[in-house]
Amino acid sequence: MTHKITLIPGDGIGPEITEAARRCIEATGVDISWEEKLAGETAREKLGSLLPEDTLDSVRKNRVALKGPITTPVGSGFRSVNVAIRQALGLYVCLRPIKSCPGARSHYKDIDLVVIRENSEDLYAGIEFQESSPEAKRIIEEIKECSKKEIRPDSGISIKPISRYASRRIVKFAFEYALSNNRKKVTAVHKANIMKFTDGLFLEVARDVAKDYEGRIAFEDMIVDNMAMQLVQRPHNFDVLVLPNLYGDIVSDLCAGLIGGLGVAPGANIGEQIAVFEAVHGSAPKYRGLNKVNPAAMILSGVLMLKYIEENNAAERLENAVREVIAEGKFVTYDLKPSSGDLTAVGTMEMADAIIKKISD
């Protein structure tokens, strides 16, 4: 069976690590027809748009995409091209498995947890009003009238919507993911002690959904600041974390730090019928074209993609190959060496070559 998949190389280091991932995925023998499209700064330079409709149409048609990191130009266009893609395609789940890679520099061992972040609302919904704008002044007056609370007149305003619908959808996804992947516990993370009508709603819904899984999946909830401390002190106590958008963004990076950083942290954005797979890290334009950066996160995102399209044997072989290369520590990039100045470090493509050789062995 041929899988038609949209390939978005991205900006900065994106084309290099995307090419490395493509080669490694193809080495598994899975039959893929790639449809290459542009987004981000490269798309603006060549096509006059940060996010061409043709790119979105390709993903809608193929329903699966592998995307490199994208640079959002400062001061113009979308607040975030990545957020715009998620909103345009209805990708309400951000899935980030966090699993230790022996050989990656870390203070922890045997970490194996999953962060599930709600993608569509919260403070990232993009409802903001600039300081001193007529709209901000109007909202400040409305808030004063409705709540009797004073807001300084020179304030910028952000709106934090959290709905019952989106909360139920993401929490249910977390429980179903736990069931499908032999996980034992879901932890809902919130700040409901302070934000009683937004995070409080998220928590209320999470507790309600959890009742449907009693006896199959354990459930707990935790305040987000305590969650951050507990992850540093006792990360092995956690399994699947489900969080609103902002907390999910922050906590997923914290969790990546437990396993050696963003260079080994894969990611997926999933909707009802469409999924986009991408490394968590940014485009690092200063390293563009240097054949220097670690491609592991992008390749592991490819592993998630292979699982999504039900090429499970290929996914397992590719993941094992990545982990073996990192564990051996011979053909790895500088950030995976004991010292970043290690002269035996190899480049992006050489590390990909080593992974491909492992798949073939």
Side-chain angles (χ1 to χ4, degrees):
M1 175 183 178
T2 300
H3 302 276
K4 195 160 187 179
I5 294 174
T6 302
L7 184 69
I8 304 172
D11 302 318
I13 61 171
E16 295 167 70
I17 61 171
T18 302
E19 175 63 12
R22 183 191 62 78
R23 291 176 56 225
C24 291
I25 292 166
E26 289 179 350
T28 66
V30 175
D31 187 3
I32 295 177
S33 174
W34 302 99
E35 186 173 41
E36 187 168 326
K37 297 293 179 180
L38 300 179
E41 203 167 46
T42 305
R44 186 179 67 167
E45 291 170 359
K46 294 185 177 181
L47 303 173
S49 171
L50 285 167
L51 185 52
E53 194 62 31
D54 180 57
T55 298
L56 293 173
D57 286 343
S58 172
V59 183
R60 291 185 185 109
K61 177 186 67 176
N62 296 327
R63 299 189 176 184
V64 180
L66 183 66
K67 183 182 80 65
I70 285 175
T71 300
T72 298
V74 176
S76 64
F78 295 102
R79 296 165 68 247
S80 165
V81 177
N82 290 324
V83 171
I85 289 172
R86 294 166 194 162
Q87 291 176 342
L89 298 174
L91 307 177
Y92 68 93
V93 178
C94 183
L95 175 69
R96 295 184 177 179
I98 305 293
K99 188 174 181 180
S100 292
C101 286
R105 284 183 275 176
S106 172
H107 297 293
Y108 300 88
K109 294 181 179 178
D110 302 321
I111 302 295
D112 187 6
L113 55 87
V114 178
V115 177
I116 296 176
R117 164 190 171 193
E118 203 287 320
N119 251 349
S120 69
E121 48 186 26
D122 194 4
L123 287 169
Y124 284 14
I127 308 170
E128 289 197 297
F129 302 92
Q130 188 174 7
E131 175 263 330
S132 295
S133 67
E135 294 83 4
K137 291 177 180 178
R138 178 181 171 186
I139 287 171
I140 289 169
E141 288 301 316
E142 292 282 351
I143 290 171
K144 181 179 179 180
E145 182 178 334
C146 293
S147 68
K148 311 306 179 189
K149 295 194 183 280
E150 294 278 353
I151 296 177
R152 293 185 179 90
D154 59 348
S155 298
I157 303 291
S158 288
I159 306 295
K160 173 177 172 156
I162 289 187
S163 68
R164 186 176 297 275
Y165 171 83
S167 298
R168 180 172 295 278
R169 182 172 64 172
I170 196 68
V171 175
K172 186 173 178 60
F173 180 94
F175 275 97
E176 289 297 322
Y177 180 92
L179 278 177
S180 299
N181 291 275
N182 298 313
R183 297 281 175 169
K184 305 301 181 185
K185 181 173 70 172
V186 170
T187 304
V189 184
H190 59 89
K191 191 68 175 174
N193 57 323
I194 303 297
M195 285 169 277
K196 300 183 185 298
F197 303 126
T198 50
D199 288 31
L201 177 59
F202 181 83
L203 176 58
E204 175 193 331
V205 170
R207 287 173 172 170
D208 186 53
V209 172
K211 294 174 185 176
D212 296 334
Y213 297 87
E214 283 182 0
R216 295 183 291 168
I217 303 292
F219 173 74
E220 66 180 0
D221 68 86
M222 191 165 292
I223 295 171
V224 65
D225 39 340
N226 185 30
M227 181 83 255
M229 180 182 72
Q230 296 292 335
L231 282 168
V232 172
Q233 290 187 316
R234 289 179 284 274
H236 300 95
N237 287 357
F238 302 100
D239 195 352
V240 175
L241 311 181
V242 61
L243 312 90
N245 208 336
L246 177 62
Y247 308 147
D249 192 7
I250 296 167
V251 169
S252 63
D253 275 21
L254 187 158
C255 289
L258 302 176
I259 60 171
L262 297 177
V264 290
N269 294 284
I270 302 170
E272 296 297 341
Q273 295 183 319
I274 299 172
V276 175
F277 299 85
E278 62 183 354
V280 175
H281 59 70
S283 61
K286 70 177 182 178
Y287 292 115
R288 178 181 180 179
L290 298 183
N291 189 40
K292 185 174 182 178
V293 298
N294 176 4
M298 192 70 189
I299 297 169
L300 290 171
S301 298
V303 170
L304 297 181
M305 185 189 76
L306 289 171
K307 290 178 181 178
Y308 182 83
I309 62 175
E310 299 183 345
E311 294 285 359
N312 294 310
N313 178 269
E316 183 179 0
R317 288 188 290 117
L318 179 53
E319 182 174 5
N320 289 341
V322 173
R323 294 186 176 281
E324 287 174 21
V325 168
I326 292 175
E328 288 176 2
K330 187 175 180 181
F331 297 103
V332 294
T333 50
Y334 72 97
D335 59 306
L336 293 170
K337 291 289 186 179
S339 168
S340 59
D342 193 323
L343 296 178
T344 65
V346 302
T348 305
M349 293 306 168
E350 289 71 26
M351 184 170 171
D353 290 340
I355 292 167
I356 290 168
K357 188 174 186 302
K358 288 286 184 186
I359 296 169
S360 303
D361 287 348

